[in-house]
Amino acid sequence: MTKPYILVCDGMDKDIFTDLKSDSNFEVFPEPKNSQDVIAEEKKKASALIIRSATTVTKEFLADCPNLKYVIRAGEGTDNIDKAYCAEVGVKVSNTPGANNNSAAEHAVALTMTLLRKTAWANESMQSGAWDKNAFTGNELWKKKVGVVGFGRIGQLFARRISGFEPDITYYDPFIKEHDIPYAAIKRTENLEELFESSDVISIHVPLNDHTKNLVNKTLLSKMKKGSVLINAARGGIVNELDLVSVLKEGNISAALDVFGTEPLKDKTDLHGLPNLILTPHLGGSTEEAQLRVGEMAVHQIREFFNNNNLLNEVKA
């Protein structure tokens, strides 16, 4: 009987990948991170793919995957997988929910503090040889009004992590009306415009879907308070980038983006060079701890699927 052929596309913890390769039940392509050219060739033989955000599984991608039975998104979001078409052709889809939640929440906190205290710009100035202390007077997070758009697992973790700063937290989420965070100053709103008008800090934590695409547009951005900050470490496409650039050029707010409508940002775009915008290359889940957890879950799910006919953490269209 032919062994399932496993292709890990976008990277995996070294020790976890070694463990997978040593499993005699599988044939595993010998590299854990591969170019799109290599993936295009090897996917023709693959029984399963383990991907992150760099690989997009579309109808066109699947046309050359005659043996494919299973795609695992090593992470939470599956907007880079055409799940409806996967279902049509009998390819199962899973993710690894929760594995990188803490890292994503912590990165949103880090970007928040970077914006408020202007540390990225201060570092850039000092690296050029300057000592321009007066140019980088920032703001505290303590007692600020914080708006959280999306209050699922990561949004709630973000709220937990910043609760030590004693902020007033308001969250917007049409589906989540209760939480178990042991912090009193959290309230829910059904008015997203009011959240944008009243918050000093706004952090985005919704998935990308038809309802959230371009959710944060010029109408909302224009309502933000002078001196307030916006963080999107969730998914590209939720914040309309052209609208954000337009509002940032007015100079009243600042923002940090970890995710983008098109990734990677290969060339200079309108987002580059803005003095009140911080960019990071989708680092939300990029910690050693998260990679270990994600890898462990993905390999466990591969084994369960092929060895025990057990599909874990299935994601449907």
Side-chain angles (χ1 to χ4, degrees):
M1 183 176 177
T2 303
K3 296 179 181 180
Y5 185 72
I6 313 300
L7 176 61
V8 181
C9 297
D10 304 324
M12 179 179 282
D13 176 86
K14 180 180 177 181
D15 292 337
I16 299 298
F17 184 68
T18 298
D19 176 54
L20 176 62
K21 284 199 301 181
S22 68
D23 192 323
S24 61
N25 291 306
F26 304 112
E27 181 183 356
V28 181
F29 185 74
E31 295 297 328
K33 189 170 185 177
N34 296 285
S35 70
Q36 291 301 308
D37 288 341
V38 170
I39 293 169
E41 185 61 33
E42 294 301 320
K43 71 179 182 179
K44 298 173 184 177
K45 301 183 291 181
S47 308
L49 304 174
I50 300 176
I51 69 170
R52 290 184 58 80
S53 58
T55 297
T56 301
V57 179
T58 62
K59 181 177 181 178
E60 292 74 23
F61 181 100
L62 291 166
D64 293 325
C65 303
N67 303 308
L68 190 64
K69 296 179 175 62
Y70 192 24
V71 177
I72 295 182
R73 168 64 165 93
E76 189 97 9
T78 57
D79 47 276
N80 57 329
I81 302 172
D82 187 337
K83 296 177 286 296
Y85 189 71
C86 282
E88 282 186 33
V89 297
V91 174
K92 299 297 185 181
V93 177
S94 291
N95 64 355
T96 58
N100 61 6
N101 288 356
N102 185 68
S103 292
E106 285 188 1
H107 191 54
V109 175
L111 292 174
T112 300
M113 296 307 299
T114 300
L115 286 170
L116 290 175
R117 298 308 303 268
K118 303 183 179 179
T119 49
W121 298 293
N123 173 68
E124 184 179 359
S125 174
M126 286 202 68
Q127 293 290 352
S128 72
W131 182 279
D132 197 1
K133 183 175 180 178
N134 292 334
F136 303 109
T137 301
N139 294 101
E140 295 179 350
L141 179 55
W142 186 57
K143 298 288 188 181
K144 290 296 187 292
K145 295 181 183 297
V146 176
V148 183
V149 182
F151 215 56
R153 288 185 290 262
I154 297 175
Q156 291 190 35
L157 272 174
F158 174 79
R160 286 177 182 271
R161 298 294 178 260
I162 66 169
S163 62
F165 293 94
E166 302 176 38
D168 289 326
I169 299 173
T170 300
Y171 76 89
Y172 171 85
D173 194 306
F175 307 104
I176 295 177
K177 299 182 179 180
E178 298 179 352
H179 63 85
D180 61 358
I181 301 173
Y183 180 66
I186 300 178
K187 65 180 181 179
R188 180 176 180 267
T189 182
E190 295 184 358
N191 192 321
L192 188 56
E193 290 191 1
E194 281 187 6
L195 182 149
F196 271 75
E197 289 174 344
S198 62
S199 299
D200 301 300
V201 174
I202 299 170
S203 190
I204 309 299
H205 297 285
V206 295
L208 178 64
N209 54 43
D210 291 340
H211 301 291
T212 62
K213 187 172 179 61
N214 293 317
L215 173 69
V216 181
N217 54 28
K218 192 164 187 176
T219 299
L220 288 176
L221 293 167
S222 298
K223 293 182 180 296
M224 291 178 66
K225 295 163 59 175
K226 183 177 177 62
S228 61
V229 302
L230 173 76
I231 300 94
N232 184 17
R235 280 289 176 270
I238 297 165
V239 177
N240 184 298
E241 293 171 0
L242 293 177
D243 288 354
L244 177 63
V245 168
S246 176
V247 174
L248 286 172
K249 285 181 177 178
E250 297 172 4
N252 294 320
I253 68 169
S254 57
L257 299 179
D258 185 51
V259 290
F260 307 92
T262 300
E263 297 184 6
L265 289 181
K266 294 181 178 180
D267 303 307
K268 285 281 188 177
T269 71
D270 290 339
L271 295 169
H272 291 92
L274 292 172
N276 49 351
L277 177 62
I278 290 172
L279 307 175
T280 57
H282 205 147
L283 298 179
S286 295
T287 64
E288 292 183 4
E289 295 87 349
Q291 294 307 301
L292 178 63
R293 292 190 294 266
V294 164
E296 287 175 338
M297 287 185 70
V299 170
H300 175 65
Q301 289 171 204
I302 285 284
R303 286 172 170 149
E304 284 295 306
F305 182 80
F306 286 105
N307 296 341
N308 300 321
N309 196 29
N310 184 21
L311 177 60
L312 299 175
N313 298 316
E314 183 179 13
V315 181
K316 296 182 179 180

